[in-house]
Amino acid sequence: MLFFIKLFFRYGAGPWLRSIVYGKRILGDKAWQVMLPLMTYIGQKRAPLLQKELNIDVNDMSSLAKIQDWEDELAGVKGDWVERDPKRAIKREKECPFSALLKSCPEFCTHLAYELERATFQTLNPTYRLEKLDKLLSKGDSYCEFIHQID
């Protein structure tokens, strides 16, 4: 399955994102009713595969953070960890090849990307929390900020 996820990120992400932006224009907020359960499903199914592939300690947020590094590398996203501790990690992503496209649909980030992350991490550690995504390149901010926490 990870092989197909890698292929998708490399070759299919752009067309898929354009179809979501188009679907949002046509369906409005109903688009999220279709896509959110899919993101939950994908997150839950990929979580154990990523845990094994990345050798993740599910009780250490700095180890769980390897998932976001893996995603960013595949998607061509550039950023830095400003905090990376056993209970909390904050990443600021300053470059995203999809941010210009998503300026017309920042809800992709606040809804779908958020749900994919939440479902993935929470499958591995039920105490995981992802704060609301307020700072986003797709909203015109200078970076995207992901604040991850576990208890």
Side-chain angles (χ1 to χ4, degrees):
M1 182 172 170
L2 288 179
F3 172 76
F4 292 109
I5 292 172
K6 289 177 183 180
L7 278 178
F8 170 77
F9 266 105
R10 299 218 188 227
Y11 304 108
W16 181 67
L17 288 173
R18 282 189 288 282
S19 71
I20 289 173
V21 170
Y22 182 72
K24 169 68 165 83
R25 284 187 198 139
I26 293 176
L27 297 173
D29 287 337
K30 289 181 183 177
W32 311 133
Q33 293 172 1
V34 173
M35 293 302 299
L36 281 171
L38 177 62
M39 300 311 274
T40 303
Y41 178 81
I42 292 170
Q44 291 169 339
K45 295 301 177 189
R46 75 182 190 150
L49 301 171
L50 289 170
Q51 179 186 8
K52 184 177 178 182
E53 169 119 348
L54 302 175
N55 193 29
I56 292 171
D57 175 354
V58 300
N59 296 308
D60 181 344
M61 192 62 241
S62 63
S63 181
L64 283 161
K66 293 181 210 175
I67 294 170
Q68 192 163 1
D69 290 335
W70 179 83
E71 293 168 332
D72 289 354
E73 183 180 331
L74 285 177
V77 173
K78 307 285 186 218
D80 300 300
W81 292 99
V82 295
E83 183 178 331
R84 195 167 178 170
D85 299 318
K87 297 293 181 190
R88 181 175 155 104
I90 301 173
K91 188 163 193 181
R92 291 187 180 153
E93 299 172 338
K94 297 173 183 151
E95 295 177 34
C96 173
F98 309 110
S99 62
L101 170 64
L102 294 174
K103 284 192 180 191
S104 65
C105 188
E107 298 92 345
F108 172 86
C109 305
T110 59
H111 292 55
L112 301 184
Y114 177 93
E115 181 56 18
L116 179 64
E117 295 297 280
R118 187 209 60 76
T120 302
F121 285 81
Q122 206 166 64
T123 297
L124 297 175
N125 185 322
T127 71
Y128 171 80
R129 293 180 319 283
L130 175 60
E131 290 191 16
K132 181 180 172 190
L133 302 179
D134 287 325
K135 295 267 187 194
L136 293 168
L137 292 165
S138 61
K139 288 183 172 180
D141 295 313
S142 58
Y143 56 85
C144 297
E145 184 172 67
F146 289 80
I147 303 173
H148 306 271
Q149 297 182 72
I150 58 172
D151 291 333

